[in-house]
Amino acid sequence: MKLFQIEEPEGGPADPGLPGMAIGIDLGGARALVAVSVGGNPVVLEDREGFEQDLPVPSPDAGIDQWTELFIRARLRAERALARPATHTVIVASAVDSTAATRLTEAAGQAGLMVLRLVAAAELQPGAAPGLAAALLAEDLAPRPEPGGAGTDLG
C-alpha cells in the first residue's frame, strides 16, 4: 500500500520547529519493520523499487554505531515513503532492560529520532502485530503543534 498526502497549494508547514511524523519500529525479527499510522490506520512502510535497503537488526550487545545505522535507515525508509520528516518513534523490542533502553534511546537520538516509548513485545496484546501496534502508539503519543505556538509568533 502506498500513502499519499494532499496539501493546500501553498504546501505544508515551512516551520522546521514543528514535529514530523512519528513512526513505529519493530526490532523483534531478523529485519526491522517500520510502520506509520494515520487516523488510526497503521501500515507497514516498504522501500520504493530501486531504493531497497536492508534493515538487519543488530545483536543485543552490538555497539551504538550499528544501532544508530539501523535507525538512520529506518528513518530514511519512512521519510522516502511519506515524503515528510520522521522525528519521533515508538520502538518494540523482544526485551527491554535498562542497558538496552539506554543504548536504543541514544542510538535513535543520534539518528534524529526522539523515542516516545520503548515497549517489550510481551507488553502488547496477544495477537497484536508489534510493528503496527508501535505505529498506533506512536500516533497517539506524537507531539502536536499547539494553537498559537511555533510559527505564529509575530512579536
Side-chain angles (χ1 to χ4, degrees):
M1 170 184 274
K2 293 189 180 204
L3 299 176
F4 67 94
Q5 180 175 346
I6 299 172
E7 294 186 11
E8 295 298 322
E10 298 83 34
D15 187 345
L18 293 176
M21 292 294 291
I23 59 175
I25 302 175
D26 176 14
L27 302 176
R31 304 277 177 262
L33 181 137
V34 181
V36 68
S37 179
V38 177
N41 297 302
V43 67
V44 173
L45 300 175
E46 299 291 336
D47 291 320
R48 291 187 321 220
E49 188 175 325
F51 293 94
E52 298 89 355
Q53 58 183 338
D54 199 18
L55 297 177
V57 175
S59 67
D61 59 345
I64 194 83
D65 291 342
Q66 289 176 300
W67 285 104
T68 300
E69 182 62 29
L70 170 66
F71 290 126
I72 289 170
R73 289 177 180 214
R75 189 178 118 220
L76 182 60
R77 174 174 288 177
E79 290 178 346
R80 283 179 175 168
L82 300 169
R84 291 186 60 185
T87 56
H88 295 77
T89 187
V90 169
I91 300 170
V92 176
S94 301
V96 181
D97 60 21
S98 62
T99 303
T102 300
R103 181 179 294 130
L104 294 175
T105 301
E106 184 178 333
Q110 288 180 12
L113 293 168
M114 176 184 276
V115 176
L116 298 169
R117 185 161 171 210
L118 288 168
V119 182
E123 294 178 47
L124 299 174
Q125 292 180 352
L132 299 180
L136 285 166
L137 190 55
E139 181 182 25
D140 289 343
L141 297 175
R144 310 267 190 278
E146 294 181 26
T152 62
D153 185 12
L154 300 176

